[in-house]
Amino acid sequence: MSTSPPSGAYHHGDLHRALLEAAARLLIANGAAALTLREVARAAGVSHNAPYRHFASRQALLAELATEGFDRLRRRLDDVAPLTEERVRALGRAYLRFAVEERPYFLLMFGGEIEKSAFPALANAALTAYAILEGAVEAEGGRDPGEALRAWALVHGLAHLVVERQIPPEAAFAALG
Amino acid sequence: MSTSPPSGAYHHGDLHRALLEAAARLLIANGAAALTLREVARAAGVSHNAPYRHFASRQALLAELATEGFDRLRRRLDDVAPLTEERVRALGRAYLRFAVEERPYFLLMFGGEIEKSAFPALANAALTAYAILEGAVEAEGGRDPGEALRAWALVHGLAHLVVERQIPPEAAFAALG
DNA sequence: ACCTGAACACCGTTCAAGT
DNA sequence: ACCTGAACACCGTTCAAGT
């Protein structure tokens, strides 16, 4: 009925989205290191180089997945009620919960496999998510600018240690109080 | 003069060591993701599958490099003087300095590319390094066991954010005070 | 024992066609 | 425009020989 199909449309619908969804399933199943472009194409039912119509490279596809991860993290942080009291701790718990529940995304986002500077949208999504944490710490009477960074680093450190299986999730949640 | 050559000796000397040294150079030059076994073999001047005499797999070689990384980290922490005062902060600075100066190792050690549980020597080296931090925090009047974990997580979080280029090294050092 | 060459089943990426 | 098949230059890993 609409006069023009959505951009990126192909005979199956929206290949760009279909590829991303297939990639997300593979990421969750096997992790980023095992994610191959050819398998993504197979899962989407297209030839092994059809993805190049939509992604410049394997790195670019991973960067889009990581960007999606930061968007999800941001959404979780946005959902934390602005109690002003306890808000920083609640944000910390939300960050930790994201790491535990979306481990493959967290590992991709911080795993060092993607050079963020090469993908502006990714760098931007990361900054947007962090801004929420910074804002909350500053609002909570943080005069020292280093305090926001310490709060973020503490939560990020706990999350990363959990995701790397160096400490159990319960210990991390307990450490947050 | 000795009756037997060192185990693992071959016509060039010690291939195991030669392969590890070549791998370390490649790790530092290009990162773990780009490290291929075949290139390691070429750099060591042997055929592309000679490494299988010394390492069960590419993962196993990376695990040995990561173990070496944790040993280096431990040595740095061992070097921190036991001032009891200020000791925790000094250990934090040493940890951060390691992350900055040995970035490729740090990324490999915490990059999620190696499943630590599959390599006991690696898991052990990691625990040994952490025990130093825990001991210092506990010695410094830490009644709360969560305090040691928070101290470690803060330092680790700062180090990881630096290595991931999310914050500049100076900011991390400043946050440690 | 230690090393080699050939082989297998993959990759990411490129290119010349096809519709 | 979008997709395909063939091709290039690689991988990790295995195997049957060679010394």
Side-chain angles (χ1 to χ4, degrees):
Chain A
M1 307 300 176
S2 63
T3 50
S4 67
S7 84
Y10 83 128
H11 63 281
H12 286 131
D14 185 345
L15 182 55
H16 188 91
R17 179 186 300 274
L19 289 168
L20 273 180
E21 282 169 3
R25 276 192 296 274
L26 291 171
L27 172 70
I28 289 162
N30 311 314
L35 190 153
T36 74
L37 224 37
R38 290 169 96 113
E39 195 173 357
V40 170
R42 278 193 296 271
V46 291
S47 76
H48 67 266
N49 61 14
Y52 285 95
R53 296 286 134 198
H54 300 276
F55 304 94
S57 65
R58 175 180 177 276
Q59 274 275 311
L61 191 159
L62 288 177
E64 279 204 35
L65 281 181
T67 304
E68 207 178 284
F70 278 107
D71 289 343
R72 286 189 197 208
L73 172 58
R74 180 184 46 72
R75 248 174 272 136
R76 284 189 186 234
L77 298 180
D78 279 340
D79 285 350
V80 173
L83 300 176
T84 57
E85 189 87 28
E86 279 289 317
R87 174 159 161 79
V88 169
R89 256 207 277 270
L91 284 169
R93 280 193 296 268
Y95 197 101
L96 252 183
R97 230 178 289 126
F98 175 79
V100 171
E101 295 171 12
E102 309 263 38
R103 184 171 184 269
Y105 276 97
F106 193 93
L107 281 171
L108 176 64
M109 289 154 64
F110 296 103
E113 191 142 10
I114 309 170
E115 185 59 52
K116 286 195 181 63
S117 59
F119 301 97
L122 172 55
N124 207 60
L127 287 177
T128 303
Y130 300 148
I132 297 172
L133 294 177
E134 276 191 353
V137 173
E138 277 167 19
E140 196 143 342
R143 316 148 246 179
D144 180 5
E147 199 176 315
L149 178 54
R150 275 192 294 275
W152 173 24
L154 171 63
V155 169
H156 179 75
L158 287 170
H160 191 246
L161 290 172
V162 166
V163 155
E164 284 293 312
R165 304 203 197 284
Q166 298 288 350
I167 61 173
E170 304 78 36
F173 282 109
L176 271 186
Chain B
M1 310 305 172
S2 63
T3 51
S4 68
S7 82
Y10 83 127
H11 63 283
H12 286 131
D14 185 346
L15 182 54
H16 188 92
R17 179 186 300 274
L19 289 167
L20 274 179
E21 282 169 4
R25 275 191 296 273
L26 291 171
L27 172 69
I28 289 162
N30 311 314
L35 190 153
T36 75
L37 223 37
R38 292 170 95 113
E39 195 173 358
V40 170
R42 278 193 295 271
V46 292
S47 77
H48 66 267
N49 61 12
Y52 285 95
R53 295 286 134 197
H54 301 276
F55 304 93
S57 65
R58 176 179 176 276
Q59 275 275 312
L61 191 159
L62 288 177
E64 279 205 35
L65 281 181
T67 304
E68 208 178 284
F70 278 107
D71 289 342
R72 287 189 197 209
L73 173 58
R74 179 184 47 72
R75 248 173 273 137
R76 285 187 185 234
L77 298 180
D78 280 339
D79 284 349
V80 173
L83 300 174
T84 57
E85 190 87 30
E86 277 291 317
R87 175 159 160 78
V88 170
R89 257 206 277 268
L91 284 169
R93 280 193 296 268
Y95 197 101
L96 252 182
R97 229 177 292 126
F98 175 80
V100 171
E101 294 171 13
E102 310 263 38
R103 183 171 183 269
Y105 277 96
F106 193 93
L107 281 171
L108 175 64
M109 290 154 64
F110 296 104
E113 191 142 9
I114 309 169
E115 185 59 52
K116 285 195 181 62
S117 58
F119 301 96
L122 172 56
N124 208 60
L127 287 177
T128 303
Y130 300 148
I132 297 172
L133 294 177
E134 276 190 354
V137 173
E138 277 166 19
E140 195 145 342
R143 317 148 247 182
D144 179 5
E147 199 176 316
L149 179 54
R150 274 192 295 275
W152 173 23
L154 170 63
V155 169
H156 179 75
L158 287 170
H160 192 247
L161 291 172
V162 166
V163 155
E164 284 293 313
R165 304 201 197 285
Q166 298 288 349
I167 61 173
E170 305 79 37
F173 282 109
L176 272 186

Short mmCIF file of all heavy atoms in Angstrom, two decimals, chain B residues 122-165:
data_model
loop_
_atom_site.label_atom_id
_atom_site.label_comp_id
_atom_site.label_asym_id
_atom_site.label_seq_id
_atom_site.Cartn_x
_atom_site.Cartn_y
_atom_site.Cartn_z
N LEU B 122 46.52 -21.11 34.04
CA LEU B 122 46.11 -19.72 33.84
C LEU B 122 45.22 -19.26 34.98
O LEU B 122 45.44 -18.19 35.57
CB LEU B 122 45.37 -19.61 32.50
CG LEU B 122 44.69 -18.28 32.18
CD1 LEU B 122 45.69 -17.14 32.27
CD2 LEU B 122 44.05 -18.34 30.80
N ALA B 123 44.23 -20.05 35.34
CA ALA B 123 43.32 -19.69 36.43
C ALA B 123 44.12 -19.49 37.72
O ALA B 123 43.85 -18.59 38.51
CB ALA B 123 42.27 -20.78 36.62
N ASN B 124 45.14 -20.33 37.90
CA ASN B 124 45.96 -20.26 39.09
C ASN B 124 46.80 -18.97 39.14
O ASN B 124 46.88 -18.32 40.18
CB ASN B 124 46.90 -21.46 39.11
CG ASN B 124 47.28 -21.86 40.51
OD1 ASN B 124 46.40 -22.18 41.30
ND2 ASN B 124 48.56 -21.78 40.82
N ALA B 125 47.39 -18.63 38.02
CA ALA B 125 48.19 -17.40 37.97
C ALA B 125 47.32 -16.19 38.27
O ALA B 125 47.75 -15.24 38.94
CB ALA B 125 48.84 -17.26 36.59
N ALA B 126 46.08 -16.21 37.79
CA ALA B 126 45.16 -15.10 38.05
C ALA B 126 44.86 -15.00 39.55
O ALA B 126 44.94 -13.93 40.15
CB ALA B 126 43.88 -15.30 37.26
N LEU B 127 44.56 -16.13 40.17
CA LEU B 127 44.25 -16.12 41.60
C LEU B 127 45.43 -15.64 42.43
O LEU B 127 45.26 -14.91 43.40
CB LEU B 127 43.83 -17.53 42.04
CG LEU B 127 42.43 -17.95 41.57
CD1 LEU B 127 42.14 -19.39 41.99
CD2 LEU B 127 41.36 -17.00 42.12
N THR B 128 46.63 -16.08 42.06
CA THR B 128 47.83 -15.68 42.79
C THR B 128 47.99 -14.16 42.79
O THR B 128 48.30 -13.55 43.81
CB THR B 128 49.07 -16.34 42.17
OG1 THR B 128 48.89 -17.75 42.17
CG2 THR B 128 50.32 -15.99 42.96
N ALA B 129 47.78 -13.57 41.62
CA ALA B 129 47.92 -12.12 41.52
C ALA B 129 46.87 -11.41 42.38
O ALA B 129 47.16 -10.46 43.11
CB ALA B 129 47.80 -11.68 40.07
N TYR B 130 45.63 -11.92 42.34
CA TYR B 130 44.57 -11.27 43.10
C TYR B 130 44.77 -11.39 44.60
O TYR B 130 44.39 -10.51 45.37
CB TYR B 130 43.21 -11.86 42.74
CG TYR B 130 42.88 -11.72 41.28
CD1 TYR B 130 42.11 -12.66 40.62
CD2 TYR B 130 43.34 -10.62 40.56
CE1 TYR B 130 41.82 -12.53 39.28
CE2 TYR B 130 43.06 -10.49 39.22
CZ TYR B 130 42.30 -11.44 38.58
OH TYR B 130 42.02 -11.31 37.27
N ALA B 131 45.38 -12.51 45.01
CA ALA B 131 45.55 -12.75 46.44
C ALA B 131 46.38 -11.63 47.07
O ALA B 131 46.16 -11.26 48.24
CB ALA B 131 46.23 -14.10 46.66
N ILE B 132 47.31 -11.08 46.31
CA ILE B 132 48.13 -9.99 46.83
C ILE B 132 47.27 -8.77 47.17
O ILE B 132 47.40 -8.17 48.24
CB ILE B 132 49.21 -9.60 45.80
CG1 ILE B 132 50.16 -10.78 45.57
CG2 ILE B 132 49.99 -8.37 46.27
CD1 ILE B 132 51.13 -10.56 44.43
N LEU B 133 46.36 -8.44 46.24
CA LEU B 133 45.49 -7.30 46.49
C LEU B 133 44.59 -7.55 47.69
O LEU B 133 44.47 -6.70 48.58
CB LEU B 133 44.61 -7.04 45.26
CG LEU B 133 45.32 -6.59 43.99
CD1 LEU B 133 44.32 -6.45 42.85
CD2 LEU B 133 46.03 -5.27 44.23
N GLU B 134 44.00 -8.74 47.73
CA GLU B 134 43.10 -9.06 48.83
C GLU B 134 43.81 -8.99 50.17
O GLU B 134 43.30 -8.42 51.13
CB GLU B 134 42.52 -10.47 48.64
CG GLU B 134 41.31 -10.49 47.74
CD GLU B 134 40.62 -11.85 47.75
OE1 GLU B 134 41.15 -12.78 48.38
OE2 GLU B 134 39.55 -11.97 47.14
N GLY B 135 45.01 -9.58 50.21
CA GLY B 135 45.78 -9.58 51.45
C GLY B 135 46.05 -8.17 51.94
O GLY B 135 45.90 -7.88 53.13
N ALA B 136 46.39 -7.28 51.01
CA ALA B 136 46.72 -5.91 51.40
C ALA B 136 45.51 -5.19 51.97
O ALA B 136 45.59 -4.50 52.99
CB ALA B 136 47.27 -5.16 50.20
N VAL B 137 44.37 -5.37 51.32
CA VAL B 137 43.17 -4.68 51.79
C VAL B 137 42.78 -5.20 53.17
O VAL B 137 42.43 -4.43 54.07
CB VAL B 137 42.01 -4.87 50.79
CG1 VAL B 137 40.73 -4.31 51.37
CG2 VAL B 137 42.35 -4.21 49.47
N GLU B 138 42.85 -6.52 53.32
CA GLU B 138 42.47 -7.09 54.62
C GLU B 138 43.41 -6.65 55.73
O GLU B 138 42.99 -6.34 56.83
CB GLU B 138 42.46 -8.63 54.52
CG GLU B 138 41.16 -9.17 53.95
CD GLU B 138 41.26 -10.62 53.55
OE1 GLU B 138 42.19 -11.31 54.02
OE2 GLU B 138 40.43 -11.06 52.72
N ALA B 139 44.70 -6.59 55.40
CA ALA B 139 45.68 -6.17 56.40
C ALA B 139 45.43 -4.73 56.83
O ALA B 139 45.64 -4.38 57.99
CB ALA B 139 47.10 -6.29 55.83
N GLU B 140 44.94 -3.93 55.90
CA GLU B 140 44.73 -2.52 56.22
C GLU B 140 43.39 -2.30 56.93
O GLU B 140 42.59 -1.45 56.54
CB GLU B 140 44.80 -1.67 54.93
CG GLU B 140 44.95 -0.19 55.22
CD GLU B 140 45.83 0.47 54.16
OE1 GLU B 140 46.55 -0.24 53.45
OE2 GLU B 140 45.77 1.69 54.04
N GLY B 141 43.15 -3.08 57.95
CA GLY B 141 41.97 -2.88 58.78
C GLY B 141 40.65 -3.10 58.10
O GLY B 141 39.63 -2.55 58.51
N GLY B 142 40.65 -3.89 57.00
CA GLY B 142 39.37 -4.15 56.37
C GLY B 142 38.60 -5.20 57.13
O GLY B 142 38.90 -6.38 57.04
N ARG B 143 37.60 -4.78 57.91
CA ARG B 143 36.80 -5.78 58.65
C ARG B 143 35.80 -6.39 57.65
O ARG B 143 35.57 -7.57 57.60
CB ARG B 143 36.02 -5.14 59.78
CG ARG B 143 36.82 -4.12 60.56
CD ARG B 143 35.91 -2.99 61.08
NE ARG B 143 36.25 -1.73 60.43
CZ ARG B 143 35.64 -0.57 60.72
NH1 ARG B 143 34.68 -0.53 61.63
NH2 ARG B 143 35.98 0.53 60.10
N ASP B 144 35.20 -5.49 56.86
CA ASP B 144 34.22 -5.91 55.87
C ASP B 144 34.91 -6.65 54.71
O ASP B 144 35.76 -6.08 54.04
CB ASP B 144 33.51 -4.65 55.34
CG ASP B 144 32.47 -4.97 54.27
OD1 ASP B 144 32.23 -6.16 54.02
OD2 ASP B 144 31.92 -4.02 53.70
N PRO B 145 34.55 -7.94 54.47
CA PRO B 145 35.19 -8.67 53.38
C PRO B 145 34.83 -8.07 52.01
O PRO B 145 35.59 -8.19 51.05
CB PRO B 145 34.61 -10.08 53.52
CG PRO B 145 33.33 -9.91 54.26
CD PRO B 145 33.53 -8.73 55.17
N GLY B 146 33.70 -7.40 51.93
CA GLY B 146 33.31 -6.76 50.67
C GLY B 146 34.25 -5.63 50.30
O GLY B 146 34.35 -5.25 49.13
N GLU B 147 34.97 -5.10 51.28
CA GLU B 147 35.84 -3.95 51.01
C GLU B 147 36.99 -4.34 50.08
O GLU B 147 37.38 -3.57 49.20
CB GLU B 147 36.39 -3.39 52.31
CG GLU B 147 36.90 -1.96 52.17
CD GLU B 147 37.36 -1.39 53.51
OE1 GLU B 147 36.65 -1.58 54.50
OE2 GLU B 147 38.45 -0.79 53.54
N ALA B 148 37.54 -5.54 50.28
CA ALA B 148 38.63 -6.00 49.42
C ALA B 148 38.15 -6.10 47.97
O ALA B 148 38.81 -5.63 47.04
CB ALA B 148 39.15 -7.35 49.90
N LEU B 149 36.95 -6.68 47.81
CA LEU B 149 36.41 -6.83 46.46
C LEU B 149 36.15 -5.47 45.83
O LEU B 149 36.45 -5.25 44.65
CB LEU B 149 35.12 -7.65 46.51
CG LEU B 149 34.41 -7.86 45.17
CD1 LEU B 149 35.36 -8.44 44.15
CD2 LEU B 149 33.19 -8.76 45.34
N ARG B 150 35.61 -4.53 46.61
CA ARG B 150 35.35 -3.20 46.07
C ARG B 150 36.65 -2.52 45.63
O ARG B 150 36.71 -1.88 44.58
CB ARG B 150 34.61 -2.33 47.09
CG ARG B 150 33.09 -2.52 47.04
CD ARG B 150 32.38 -1.44 47.86
NE ARG B 150 32.68 -1.55 49.27
CZ ARG B 150 32.03 -2.35 50.11
NH1 ARG B 150 31.03 -3.10 49.68
NH2 ARG B 150 32.35 -2.40 51.37
N ALA B 151 37.69 -2.69 46.44
CA ALA B 151 38.97 -2.07 46.09
C ALA B 151 39.52 -2.65 44.78
O ALA B 151 39.97 -1.93 43.89
CB ALA B 151 39.98 -2.28 47.22
N TRP B 152 39.44 -3.97 44.69
CA TRP B 152 39.92 -4.64 43.48
C TRP B 152 39.08 -4.21 42.27
O TRP B 152 39.61 -3.86 41.21
CB TRP B 152 39.87 -6.16 43.68
CG TRP B 152 40.18 -6.96 42.47
CD1 TRP B 152 40.91 -6.57 41.38
CD2 TRP B 152 39.76 -8.30 42.19
NE1 TRP B 152 40.97 -7.58 40.46
CE2 TRP B 152 40.27 -8.65 40.93
CE3 TRP B 152 39.00 -9.23 42.91
CZ2 TRP B 152 40.05 -9.90 40.37
CZ3 TRP B 152 38.78 -10.48 42.33
CH2 TRP B 152 39.31 -10.81 41.08
N ALA B 153 37.75 -4.21 42.44
CA ALA B 153 36.86 -3.88 41.33
C ALA B 153 37.08 -2.45 40.86
O ALA B 153 37.07 -2.17 39.65
CB ALA B 153 35.40 -4.09 41.74
N LEU B 154 37.30 -1.54 41.80
CA LEU B 154 37.55 -0.15 41.42
C LEU B 154 38.79 -0.04 40.56
O LEU B 154 38.78 0.54 39.47
CB LEU B 154 37.72 0.72 42.69
CG LEU B 154 38.21 2.15 42.44
CD1 LEU B 154 37.20 2.94 41.62
CD2 LEU B 154 38.49 2.88 43.75
N VAL B 155 39.87 -0.64 41.03
CA VAL B 155 41.13 -0.57 40.29
C VAL B 155 41.01 -1.30 38.94
O VAL B 155 41.44 -0.79 37.91
CB VAL B 155 42.27 -1.18 41.12
CG1 VAL B 155 43.52 -1.37 40.28
CG2 VAL B 155 42.56 -0.29 42.32
N HIS B 156 40.40 -2.46 38.98
CA HIS B 156 40.24 -3.23 37.75
C HIS B 156 39.34 -2.47 36.76
O HIS B 156 39.61 -2.44 35.56
CB HIS B 156 39.64 -4.61 38.04
CG HIS B 156 39.43 -5.43 36.82
ND1 HIS B 156 40.46 -6.04 36.13
CD2 HIS B 156 38.31 -5.70 36.10
CE1 HIS B 156 39.98 -6.66 35.07
NE2 HIS B 156 38.67 -6.47 35.03
N GLY B 157 38.29 -1.88 37.27
CA GLY B 157 37.38 -1.11 36.40
C GLY B 157 38.11 0.05 35.75
O GLY B 157 37.98 0.28 34.54
N LEU B 158 38.88 0.80 36.53
CA LEU B 158 39.65 1.91 35.96
C LEU B 158 40.62 1.39 34.90
O LEU B 158 40.72 1.96 33.80
CB LEU B 158 40.44 2.63 37.07
CG LEU B 158 39.61 3.49 38.04
CD1 LEU B 158 40.48 3.92 39.22
CD2 LEU B 158 39.03 4.70 37.34
N ALA B 159 41.33 0.31 35.22
CA ALA B 159 42.31 -0.24 34.28
C ALA B 159 41.63 -0.69 32.98
O ALA B 159 42.11 -0.40 31.88
CB ALA B 159 43.05 -1.42 34.92
N HIS B 160 40.50 -1.35 33.13
CA HIS B 160 39.81 -1.85 31.94
C HIS B 160 39.27 -0.71 31.09
O HIS B 160 39.33 -0.76 29.85
CB HIS B 160 38.68 -2.81 32.34
CG HIS B 160 38.13 -3.57 31.19
ND1 HIS B 160 36.86 -3.39 30.73
CD2 HIS B 160 38.69 -4.49 30.38
CE1 HIS B 160 36.65 -4.19 29.68
NE2 HIS B 160 37.76 -4.87 29.46
N LEU B 161 38.76 0.32 31.74
CA LEU B 161 38.24 1.47 30.98
C LEU B 161 39.37 2.19 30.24
O LEU B 161 39.18 2.68 29.13
CB LEU B 161 37.50 2.44 31.91
CG LEU B 161 36.17 1.88 32.47
CD1 LEU B 161 35.59 2.80 33.54
CD2 LEU B 161 35.14 1.70 31.34
N VAL B 162 40.56 2.21 30.84
CA VAL B 162 41.71 2.83 30.17
C VAL B 162 42.12 2.00 28.96
O VAL B 162 42.31 2.52 27.86
CB VAL B 162 42.91 2.95 31.14
CG1 VAL B 162 44.19 3.26 30.36
CG2 VAL B 162 42.64 4.04 32.17
N VAL B 163 42.21 0.71 29.18
CA VAL B 163 42.64 -0.20 28.12
C VAL B 163 41.65 -0.20 26.95
O VAL B 163 42.04 -0.36 25.79
CB VAL B 163 42.83 -1.60 28.72
CG1 VAL B 163 42.67 -2.67 27.67
CG2 VAL B 163 44.20 -1.70 29.37
N GLU B 164 40.39 -0.02 27.28
CA GLU B 164 39.36 0.05 26.25
C GLU B 164 39.25 1.46 25.65
O GLU B 164 38.36 1.73 24.85
CB GLU B 164 38.01 -0.36 26.83
CG GLU B 164 37.88 -1.85 27.01
CD GLU B 164 37.87 -2.56 25.68
OE1 GLU B 164 37.14 -2.13 24.79
OE2 GLU B 164 38.64 -3.53 25.51
N ARG B 165 40.14 2.35 26.10
CA ARG B 165 40.19 3.72 25.61
C ARG B 165 38.91 4.49 25.88
O ARG B 165 38.53 5.39 25.12
CB ARG B 165 40.49 3.75 24.11
CG ARG B 165 41.79 3.02 23.72
CD ARG B 165 42.27 3.52 22.35
NE ARG B 165 43.24 2.65 21.71
CZ ARG B 165 44.53 2.53 22.06
NH1 ARG B 165 45.00 3.21 23.08
NH2 ARG B 165 45.34 1.72 21.38
#
